[in-house]
Amino acid sequence: PPCPPVAVKTMAENGTEGAQDQKKDDNNCRMYEKKYPDQDENVLVTVRSVAEMGAYVTLNEYNGIEGMILLSELSRRRIRSINKLIRVGRTEVVVVLRVDKDKGYIDLSKRRVSVEDVEKLEVKYNKSKQVHSIMRQVSETCKVPMIKLYEAWGWDLYKRYGHAYDAFKILVASPDKVIGQYSLDEAVKASLIKTVKRRLTPQPVKIRADIEVTCFAYEGIDAVKAALQKGEEKSTAELPIKIKLVSPPLYVMFCTTLNKEQGINLLQSAVDAITKEIREKEGSINVKHAPRAVSQQEERDLLAKMEGEEDDD
């Protein structure tokens, strides 16, 4: 019988695919200088397949090199169903048991990882992920392979600052302090500064507390006004506190800040001042929502509620 036709690619098609593969390689590399993780290092992995012996995974921080979580290292408890413990596509925090660089074997354990290990690794990984995203943007903009950028100065920032993310945070306000020591191409330097400032410049956060303040004693309304005034007096020049009536007896108090923790603490001190004052006047306060950062949707919901109250009036 005649042989089936064979699809033959032209040189141009092969060249196009080769260029695409090269571009993909240029924009991908490991996050850290070492090619393999160390023994006892915690790493983030993505589960690729599950077999009788265990789970095959790829190491997210090491450009997808493969590793394996043995069945015996999945859980401290007796394993009744492996699919209930680990699933394809999920990310897991694991610890490195053994690394055979010659054979490319990496043995991992999930059961030996503590809750504290998970929390620490997630913080580290999120910082590394942001750095990697910035490096990729500079790489694509300037047509320079990511690994070349890391080799020239990226991994050195990890050594000098503990983490390149911390270096980038300083770079937002003082670029020369961070990258002045490196011989960066002007296009790379401009792209890096622009990208870091856009990604890492702190954005204002609105902090809000929702409180109900009432007083049925003789002073009544005056007592409520005096208590709210005590709250507003906790304002600072940088962080003014504003209090608005939603509908009696509900008030919202808020401030806008670049420092979330500082804003929450300030608003809490204002709530405490209102509480002290209103109770001295034989009134009461009900904190419906303690000071917290609010989303734009929460602000829109509040505005709609306040406008609805106005329409009712």
Side-chain angles (χ1 to χ4, degrees):
C3 296
V6 178
V8 179
K9 294 181 180 177
T10 65
M11 290 180 66
E13 289 173 328
N14 278 326
T16 301
E17 284 195 2
Q20 290 174 342
D21 290 342
Q22 182 60 50
K23 183 178 179 181
K24 185 178 179 181
D25 290 342
D26 287 349
N27 293 331
N28 286 283
C29 75
R30 61 191 183 276
M31 293 181 176
Y32 312 127
E33 186 170 14
K34 57 191 179 184
K35 294 183 179 181
Y36 294 92
D38 297 325
Q39 185 175 340
D40 297 326
E41 179 181 342
N42 295 319
V43 294
L44 191 75
V45 301
T46 299
V47 181
R48 293 305 179 197
S49 64
V50 178
E52 290 184 6
M53 291 181 61
Y56 294 94
V57 301
T58 52
L59 281 66
N60 296 15
E61 298 147 284
Y62 292 89
N63 201 30
I65 58 175
E66 295 184 347
M68 185 178 190
I69 309 173
L70 295 172
L71 187 64
S72 60
E73 293 296 334
L74 279 173
S75 175
R76 294 178 182 274
R77 300 177 182 178
R78 182 182 175 187
I79 299 173
R80 297 180 183 276
S81 171
I82 189 171
N83 290 318
K84 289 184 178 180
L85 286 174
I86 199 159
R87 294 185 180 180
V88 172
R90 280 179 54 175
T91 56
E92 301 281 354
V93 177
V94 297
V95 62
V96 178
L97 298 180
R98 287 172 294 275
V99 178
D100 188 329
K101 297 179 182 179
D102 295 328
K103 295 182 179 179
Y105 295 157
I106 302 176
D107 292 336
L108 307 159
S109 172
K110 180 184 175 185
R111 73 181 182 89
R112 305 189 195 203
V113 176
S114 68
V115 175
E116 293 76 13
D117 291 335
V118 173
E119 292 173 350
K120 288 180 182 177
L121 192 278
E122 286 178 347
V123 170
K124 177 189 174 186
Y125 179 75
N126 286 334
K127 291 167 73 171
S128 301
K129 188 178 178 182
Q130 286 214 53
V131 169
H132 214 54
S133 177
I134 290 169
M135 298 294 277
R136 179 175 286 111
Q137 179 64 45
V138 176
S139 169
E140 292 176 351
T141 301
C142 301
K143 305 295 188 292
V144 179
M146 277 181 77
I147 195 163
K148 295 296 184 184
L149 299 176
Y150 269 117
E151 288 173 344
W153 45 269
W155 285 324
D156 191 57
L157 292 178
Y158 274 90
K159 295 175 185 175
R160 291 177 181 271
Y161 293 88
H163 200 292
Y165 178 86
D166 298 324
F168 284 170
K169 291 287 283 185
I170 298 171
L171 185 148
V172 171
S174 307
D176 289 339
K177 182 177 179 181
V178 176
I179 58 176
Q181 60 199 303
Y182 305 109
S183 300
L184 270 66
D185 176 85
E186 285 302 316
V188 170
K189 181 177 180 181
S191 177
L192 176 63
I193 293 172
K194 179 181 178 181
T195 306
V196 169
K197 286 188 174 182
R198 187 175 70 248
R199 302 274 184 92
L200 300 186
T201 297
Q203 298 299 313
V205 178
K206 177 166 277 191
I207 309 298
R208 196 179 93 201
D210 301 15
I211 58 175
E212 291 179 339
V213 186
T214 55
C215 182
F216 299 107
Y218 178 74
E219 294 184 56
I221 295 175
D222 290 336
V224 171
K225 287 182 178 179
L228 296 177
Q229 180 64 36
K230 288 291 184 181
E232 288 185 331
E233 287 174 3
K234 291 294 182 178
S235 297
T236 66
E238 297 79 20
L239 291 178
I241 295 173
K242 295 182 180 180
I243 301 178
K244 288 186 177 181
L245 172 66
V246 179
S247 62
L250 179 62
Y251 296 84
V252 290
M253 47 196 306
F254 56 89
C255 66
T256 303
T257 176
L258 294 175
N259 188 319
K260 177 181 171 182
E261 186 176 354
Q262 184 181 16
I264 289 175
N265 290 338
L266 180 69
L267 222 55
Q268 185 58 55
S269 70
V271 172
D272 294 341
I274 293 171
T275 301
K276 183 175 183 295
E277 180 70 16
I278 197 66
R279 286 178 178 171
E280 287 179 355
K281 299 290 176 62
E282 299 180 4
S284 64
I285 179 173
N286 174 30
V287 181
K288 295 199 70 175
H289 296 288
R292 80 278 186 205
V294 290
S295 65
Q296 291 183 345
Q297 183 59 51
E298 287 177 291
E299 284 299 286
R300 285 193 289 269
D301 292 344
L302 174 65
L303 183 61
K305 184 174 182 179
M306 293 177 71
E307 289 175 346
E309 293 292 340
E310 290 177 2
D311 291 341
D312 291 342
D313 292 341

